Amino acid sequence: MALKLRTAGSNWTGILIQLDKSDDLLEKSNYDELNRWHQKHFGCIPTYKVHDEGNGWYLCEITYNVPGNPTANSLKADGKTRGSAREEAANKVVNLLMYYGLWKNLSEAHIEPDLENSINQLQELYQKKYLDEKPEYEYKDGGNEWLVTCRADVFYGYGKASTKVMAKKNAAYMLLCKMIKK
């Protein structure tokens, strides 16, 4: 729902936007996350070259660096808009970096995922600045079982159990395993 606003005695007119969830406006994209990660590690953001393919699609070629490799890498992705092509290219790079364990360098954290301590381990990673965002949990009562989603940075974990605490531990453990993938 959008409403036009006008302040008294002013020519300024604005639009009020009502969001279903307050997080919709604040949600980070992989494009933003990759740019921030790349800037932190290499002092610059990746290079995005977007071309109109002429058939209603845009092609984005992204050039990026990875830790331990002095040679620049590139890949291509397409989308219906310039922005969606860039976002899709960033998604592919983030997934690739996560797959090879390069997104987060957690080797010096000396944490081996442990189901029983997984919630505390995630909190420890946040406090030691291995995570930029504090882990967040969403709970859903499924009747005989609890469903929990855990999110930290670009990582997600899901847990299901008969108790809320065990479902939370399962979600945190899954997230840790994805982060520390060897």
Side-chain angles (χ1 to χ4, degrees):
M1 172 184 221
L3 301 171
K4 263 191 163 178
L5 297 176
R6 187 172 194 156
T7 57
S10 169
N11 290 334
W12 183 84
T13 302
I15 296 176
L16 174 66
I17 300 172
Q18 181 179 347
L19 301 173
D20 292 333
K21 297 186 305 183
S22 60
D23 292 342
D24 289 348
L25 191 59
L26 303 174
E27 192 171 304
K28 293 181 182 176
S29 67
N30 278 346
Y31 172 78
D32 295 329
E33 290 290 317
L34 177 62
N35 288 346
R36 193 183 73 207
W37 178 88
H38 205 274
Q39 178 75 36
K40 179 179 172 182
H41 286 83
F42 304 105
C44 64
I45 65 171
T47 304
Y48 298 88
K49 293 180 182 174
V50 182
H51 307 282
D52 186 347
E53 292 187 296
N55 58 2
W57 287 85
Y58 292 88
L59 181 68
C60 177
E61 180 176 3
I62 182 173
T63 305
Y64 62 97
N65 297 312
V66 295
N69 183 357
T71 307
N73 301 283
S74 68
L75 60 80
K76 297 177 181 178
D78 57 10
K80 286 277 193 186
T81 65
R82 289 180 177 277
S84 65
R86 275 194 311 264
E87 181 68 30
E88 186 57 32
N91 287 340
K92 285 184 174 185
V93 173
V94 167
N95 288 335
L96 191 68
L97 292 171
M98 287 172 61
Y99 179 79
Y100 288 107
L102 300 171
W103 184 251
K104 295 284 182 181
N105 182 8
L106 297 172
S107 59
E108 65 268 9
H110 304 292
I111 288 183
E112 189 67 36
D114 174 44
L115 178 61
E116 204 51 43
N117 297 313
S118 58
I119 298 167
N120 294 336
Q121 288 178 320
L122 266 182
Q123 185 63 30
E124 181 181 340
L125 288 173
Y126 172 68
Q127 289 172 344
K128 291 182 177 180
K129 307 290 185 203
Y130 289 101
L131 293 171
D132 296 321
E133 297 176 9
K134 185 176 182 178
E136 295 178 0
Y137 299 89
E138 291 179 19
Y139 305 91
K140 184 176 180 185
D141 186 354
N144 294 337
E145 62 187 1
W146 283 90
L147 306 169
V148 178
T149 302
C150 177
R151 183 182 72 76
D153 292 348
V154 297
F155 299 96
Y156 287 86
Y158 305 96
K160 184 170 37 168
S162 59
T163 67
K164 190 176 188 180
V165 171
M166 197 62 213
K168 183 177 179 179
K169 286 180 181 182
N170 288 336
Y173 182 75
M174 178 188 272
L175 190 144
L176 281 168
C177 289
K178 287 181 178 180
M179 286 179 64
I180 303 178
K181 188 175 187 176
K182 295 179 180 177

